[in-house]
Amino acid sequence: MTNIDFKAEVEARKTDLLADLFSLLAINSERDDSQATAETPFGSGPVAALKQFLSLAERDGYATKNVDNYAGHFTYGDDLPDEAQVLGIFAHMDVVPAGTGWNSNPYEPEIRDGKIYARGSSDDKGPTMACYYGLKILKELNLPLTKKIRFIVGTDEESGWGDMAYYFKHVGLPEPDFGFSPDAEFPIINGEKGNITEYLHFSGENNGRVHLHEFSGGLRENMVPESATAVISGDLVDLNAKLETFIKTYATKHIRFDIENGIENRKIVTLHGRSAHGAMPEKGVNGATYLAKFLDEIGVESAFTKIAGTLVFEDHAGKKLGLAFEDAKMGALSMNAGVFKFDEHSSDNTIALNFRYPQGTDSDRIYAVLTKLSGVAKVTKSAHEHLPHYVPMTDELVSTLLSVYEKQTGLKGHEQIIGGGTFGRLLKRGVAFGAMFPGDIDTMHQANEFIPVDVLLRAAAIYAEAIYELAK
């Protein structure tokens, strides 16, 4: 390995790195299908962030390519022979919805107590810029490389990955030979579970002593719903007292509620939980399932609330549904009930269940079990599915990245397999690498998302050396 002090090189560029990162964090790049056009396939925000990122690369002298505002890349090493291998680096500019509960504007980044607070600070704009500056250091030091580098940035990682599907189909270049995504944690993520969302469909029929008119909860399938709202009528005597008792029963979950008056003696009840990443639903408090349980207890008779409030309630492994499964290497299946939609006048009400499943089971088995649930009209699958992915420890990509991590941190590297899905799985020889360190607080997909400045700088130094070792 080289003796260059990459940490010192990063520190010398700290001010510029933070300025460039803030220029990206200030852009609300949530997917917005209401703004989708031929020019803005996932809304105007993701496009704006993509263009800003590519403009930074152009400023620094890279050759860039924007593939119809779906994704883009810049290249380094164009002077190398055509047959030179290509190292791919995959990142993304889109973010999940900010939601509520922030102590500051999620799109006005600020540093408090050494932490950068903003939506996208840790997922994935912060790690992206740490990696970008890692490569920038190699370029400015003019270190000799034998492999080309293609830094690819998408705009739909948090949804259906339509950006990468379009990119690979239209970019006119072969896939990189190997690569990594700075969109997870250290020491490495060399395995990822399969990922599928399956939708339970219900009629609007319900005829209990409490009538459910509407129910909504959740922003994205890969987020734990932080809150849910129901419109109800009927036997609502002592509704406030019943809610107070319910809240006290689950006091350790820190849930809370609001009640408003609606039309025609209806009540609008909102229950607030806590959001979390859908790959780790146990870290959140699913406001939708708690509200469904409450409604089930006070007299709503609906398959929608029965399943949400009993079979799905507080079960992140699918045990009550009969879906629990565990693989010795890849771990256990997990389930996140992410989006709930109900209208009494609709014949197609849905609960979206997002599954992260290990090798040894599959989406068809999950589907077969779900179709047998009483009260479910039908089950459908999302169009996009990720199959389980694994790159062995013996692969030079994995061993090189771990050796860099060990050198820079003094910590022992080891393999990790997660339920989350990253762009690392786009390549057969692809992994995720950083930027969270062991013991760091994970605030991805949560209110008050942050990344510590020192973590950002440590990661940038690791990325610089890692890219050099992989491409030298």
Side-chain angles (χ1 to χ4, degrees), residues 157-171:
E157 194 271 351
E158 299 291 4
S159 296
W161 290 30
D163 53 349
M164 287 296 111
Y166 188 94
Y167 173 84
F168 283 118
K169 184 177 180 180
H170 295 88
V171 71

PDB file of all heavy atoms in Angstrom, residues 157-171:
ATOM      1  N   GLU A 157     -32.774   5.409  -6.514  1.00  0.00           N
ATOM      2  CA  GLU A 157     -32.341   4.275  -5.699  1.00  0.00           C
ATOM      3  C   GLU A 157     -33.339   3.968  -4.593  1.00  0.00           C
ATOM      4  O   GLU A 157     -33.518   2.814  -4.205  1.00  0.00           O
ATOM      5  CB  GLU A 157     -30.958   4.578  -5.096  1.00  0.00           C
ATOM      6  CG  GLU A 157     -30.258   3.359  -4.509  1.00  0.00           C
ATOM      7  CD  GLU A 157     -30.587   3.118  -3.043  1.00  0.00           C
ATOM      8  OE1 GLU A 157     -31.240   3.988  -2.414  1.00  0.00           O
ATOM      9  OE2 GLU A 157     -30.197   2.059  -2.524  1.00  0.00           O
ATOM     10  N   GLU A 158     -33.996   4.996  -4.080  1.00  0.00           N
ATOM     11  CA  GLU A 158     -34.903   4.807  -2.957  1.00  0.00           C
ATOM     12  C   GLU A 158     -36.270   4.263  -3.364  1.00  0.00           C
ATOM     13  O   GLU A 158     -37.107   4.013  -2.507  1.00  0.00           O
ATOM     14  CB  GLU A 158     -35.079   6.126  -2.193  1.00  0.00           C
ATOM     15  CG  GLU A 158     -33.804   6.686  -1.589  1.00  0.00           C
ATOM     16  CD  GLU A 158     -33.266   5.865  -0.432  1.00  0.00           C
ATOM     17  OE1 GLU A 158     -33.837   4.801  -0.142  1.00  0.00           O
ATOM     18  OE2 GLU A 158     -32.261   6.276   0.169  1.00  0.00           O
ATOM     19  N   SER A 159     -36.496   4.105  -4.652  1.00  0.00           N
ATOM     20  CA  SER A 159     -37.792   3.597  -5.107  1.00  0.00           C
ATOM     21  C   SER A 159     -37.603   2.319  -5.920  1.00  0.00           C
ATOM     22  O   SER A 159     -37.288   1.280  -5.370  1.00  0.00           O
ATOM     23  CB  SER A 159     -38.540   4.665  -5.896  1.00  0.00           C
ATOM     24  OG  SER A 159     -38.836   5.774  -5.048  1.00  0.00           O
ATOM     25  N   GLY A 160     -37.749   2.415  -7.230  1.00  0.00           N
ATOM     26  CA  GLY A 160     -37.761   1.197  -8.033  1.00  0.00           C
ATOM     27  C   GLY A 160     -36.520   0.910  -8.838  1.00  0.00           C
ATOM     28  O   GLY A 160     -36.510  -0.022  -9.634  1.00  0.00           O
ATOM     29  N   TRP A 161     -35.460   1.728  -8.673  1.00  0.00           N
ATOM     30  CA  TRP A 161     -34.221   1.548  -9.418  1.00  0.00           C
ATOM     31  C   TRP A 161     -34.438   1.679 -10.934  1.00  0.00           C
ATOM     32  O   TRP A 161     -33.676   1.143 -11.742  1.00  0.00           O
ATOM     33  CB  TRP A 161     -33.566   0.203  -9.106  1.00  0.00           C
ATOM     34  CG  TRP A 161     -32.981   0.101  -7.729  1.00  0.00           C
ATOM     35  CD1 TRP A 161     -33.411   0.738  -6.598  1.00  0.00           C
ATOM     36  CD2 TRP A 161     -31.859  -0.677  -7.320  1.00  0.00           C
ATOM     37  NE1 TRP A 161     -32.641   0.406  -5.521  1.00  0.00           N
ATOM     38  CE2 TRP A 161     -31.685  -0.479  -5.929  1.00  0.00           C
ATOM     39  CE3 TRP A 161     -31.011  -1.549  -7.969  1.00  0.00           C
ATOM     40  CZ2 TRP A 161     -30.678  -1.104  -5.192  1.00  0.00           C
ATOM     41  CZ3 TRP A 161     -30.010  -2.179  -7.247  1.00  0.00           C
ATOM     42  CH2 TRP A 161     -29.845  -1.948  -5.881  1.00  0.00           C
ATOM     43  N   GLY A 162     -35.469   2.411 -11.309  1.00  0.00           N
ATOM     44  CA  GLY A 162     -35.693   2.650 -12.724  1.00  0.00           C
ATOM     45  C   GLY A 162     -34.570   3.442 -13.362  1.00  0.00           C
ATOM     46  O   GLY A 162     -34.363   3.384 -14.580  1.00  0.00           O
ATOM     47  N   ASP A 163     -33.834   4.178 -12.547  1.00  0.00           N
ATOM     48  CA  ASP A 163     -32.703   4.960 -13.056  1.00  0.00           C
ATOM     49  C   ASP A 163     -31.611   4.062 -13.616  1.00  0.00           C
ATOM     50  O   ASP A 163     -31.115   4.267 -14.722  1.00  0.00           O
ATOM     51  CB  ASP A 163     -32.139   5.864 -11.960  1.00  0.00           C
ATOM     52  CG  ASP A 163     -31.802   5.100 -10.666  1.00  0.00           C
ATOM     53  OD1 ASP A 163     -32.190   3.928 -10.531  1.00  0.00           O
ATOM     54  OD2 ASP A 163     -31.149   5.695  -9.787  1.00  0.00           O
ATOM     55  N   MET A 164     -31.254   3.015 -12.868  1.00  0.00           N
ATOM     56  CA  MET A 164     -30.170   2.149 -13.316  1.00  0.00           C
ATOM     57  C   MET A 164     -30.596   1.229 -14.461  1.00  0.00           C
ATOM     58  O   MET A 164     -29.800   0.922 -15.345  1.00  0.00           O
ATOM     59  CB  MET A 164     -29.658   1.310 -12.140  1.00  0.00           C
ATOM     60  CG  MET A 164     -28.849   2.102 -11.138  1.00  0.00           C
ATOM     61  SD  MET A 164     -27.314   2.776 -11.817  1.00  0.00           S
ATOM     62  CE  MET A 164     -27.699   4.517 -11.828  1.00  0.00           C
ATOM     63  N   ALA A 165     -31.861   0.823 -14.442  1.00  0.00           N
ATOM     64  CA  ALA A 165     -32.358   0.019 -15.560  1.00  0.00           C
ATOM     65  C   ALA A 165     -32.243   0.809 -16.858  1.00  0.00           C
ATOM     66  O   ALA A 165     -31.795   0.287 -17.894  1.00  0.00           O
ATOM     67  CB  ALA A 165     -33.806  -0.399 -15.304  1.00  0.00           C
ATOM     68  N   TYR A 166     -32.634   2.073 -16.792  1.00  0.00           N
ATOM     69  CA  TYR A 166     -32.563   2.935 -17.982  1.00  0.00           C
ATOM     70  C   TYR A 166     -31.102   3.225 -18.345  1.00  0.00           C
ATOM     71  O   TYR A 166     -30.726   3.191 -19.530  1.00  0.00           O
ATOM     72  CB  TYR A 166     -33.307   4.241 -17.719  1.00  0.00           C
ATOM     73  CG  TYR A 166     -33.457   5.111 -18.938  1.00  0.00           C
ATOM     74  CD1 TYR A 166     -34.607   5.043 -19.722  1.00  0.00           C
ATOM     75  CD2 TYR A 166     -32.458   6.004 -19.317  1.00  0.00           C
ATOM     76  CE1 TYR A 166     -34.752   5.842 -20.851  1.00  0.00           C
ATOM     77  CE2 TYR A 166     -32.591   6.800 -20.439  1.00  0.00           C
ATOM     78  CZ  TYR A 166     -33.745   6.715 -21.206  1.00  0.00           C
ATOM     79  OH  TYR A 166     -33.880   7.507 -22.323  1.00  0.00           O
ATOM     80  N   TYR A 167     -30.292   3.496 -17.346  1.00  0.00           N
ATOM     81  CA  TYR A 167     -28.890   3.839 -17.583  1.00  0.00           C
ATOM     82  C   TYR A 167     -28.162   2.730 -18.339  1.00  0.00           C
ATOM     83  O   TYR A 167     -27.533   2.978 -19.376  1.00  0.00           O
ATOM     84  CB  TYR A 167     -28.197   4.115 -16.244  1.00  0.00           C
ATOM     85  CG  TYR A 167     -26.707   4.306 -16.354  1.00  0.00           C
ATOM     86  CD1 TYR A 167     -26.162   5.535 -16.685  1.00  0.00           C
ATOM     87  CD2 TYR A 167     -25.829   3.244 -16.123  1.00  0.00           C
ATOM     88  CE1 TYR A 167     -24.783   5.708 -16.787  1.00  0.00           C
ATOM     89  CE2 TYR A 167     -24.460   3.409 -16.222  1.00  0.00           C
ATOM     90  CZ  TYR A 167     -23.937   4.639 -16.564  1.00  0.00           C
ATOM     91  OH  TYR A 167     -22.575   4.802 -16.683  1.00  0.00           O
ATOM     92  N   PHE A 168     -28.242   1.514 -17.842  1.00  0.00           N
ATOM     93  CA  PHE A 168     -27.505   0.426 -18.481  1.00  0.00           C
ATOM     94  C   PHE A 168     -28.035   0.122 -19.882  1.00  0.00           C
ATOM     95  O   PHE A 168     -27.287  -0.326 -20.740  1.00  0.00           O
ATOM     96  CB  PHE A 168     -27.549  -0.824 -17.611  1.00  0.00           C
ATOM     97  CG  PHE A 168     -26.615  -0.776 -16.433  1.00  0.00           C
ATOM     98  CD1 PHE A 168     -27.096  -0.835 -15.136  1.00  0.00           C
ATOM     99  CD2 PHE A 168     -25.248  -0.654 -16.623  1.00  0.00           C
ATOM    100  CE1 PHE A 168     -26.225  -0.781 -14.051  1.00  0.00           C
ATOM    101  CE2 PHE A 168     -24.373  -0.606 -15.557  1.00  0.00           C
ATOM    102  CZ  PHE A 168     -24.872  -0.664 -14.258  1.00  0.00           C
ATOM    103  N   LYS A 169     -29.314   0.390 -20.101  1.00  0.00           N
ATOM    104  CA  LYS A 169     -29.901   0.133 -21.413  1.00  0.00           C
ATOM    105  C   LYS A 169     -29.495   1.180 -22.443  1.00  0.00           C
ATOM    106  O   LYS A 169     -29.358   0.876 -23.636  1.00  0.00           O
ATOM    107  CB  LYS A 169     -31.422   0.087 -21.299  1.00  0.00           C
ATOM    108  CG  LYS A 169     -32.142  -0.264 -22.600  1.00  0.00           C
ATOM    109  CD  LYS A 169     -33.646  -0.372 -22.379  1.00  0.00           C
ATOM    110  CE  LYS A 169     -34.370  -0.736 -23.682  1.00  0.00           C
ATOM    111  NZ  LYS A 169     -35.839  -0.849 -23.481  1.00  0.00           N
ATOM    112  N   HIS A 170     -29.243   2.423 -21.993  1.00  0.00           N
ATOM    113  CA  HIS A 170     -29.033   3.518 -22.932  1.00  0.00           C
ATOM    114  C   HIS A 170     -27.643   4.154 -22.885  1.00  0.00           C
ATOM    115  O   HIS A 170     -27.338   4.995 -23.732  1.00  0.00           O
ATOM    116  CB  HIS A 170     -30.072   4.622 -22.686  1.00  0.00           C
ATOM    117  CG  HIS A 170     -31.482   4.202 -22.977  1.00  0.00           C
ATOM    118  ND1 HIS A 170     -32.284   3.592 -22.035  1.00  0.00           N
ATOM    119  CD2 HIS A 170     -32.221   4.298 -24.109  1.00  0.00           C
ATOM    120  CE1 HIS A 170     -33.467   3.340 -22.580  1.00  0.00           C
ATOM    121  NE2 HIS A 170     -33.456   3.745 -23.819  1.00  0.00           N
ATOM    122  N   VAL A 171     -26.804   3.801 -21.923  1.00  0.00           N
ATOM    123  CA  VAL A 171     -25.526   4.499 -21.798  1.00  0.00           C
ATOM    124  C   VAL A 171     -24.566   4.159 -22.920  1.00  0.00           C
ATOM    125  O   VAL A 171     -23.655   4.932 -23.245  1.00  0.00           O
ATOM    126  CB  VAL A 171     -24.883   4.202 -20.420  1.00  0.00           C
ATOM    127  CG1 VAL A 171     -24.397   2.763 -20.350  1.00  0.00           C
ATOM    128  CG2 VAL A 171     -23.756   5.182 -20.130  1.00  0.00           C
TER     129      VAL A 171
END
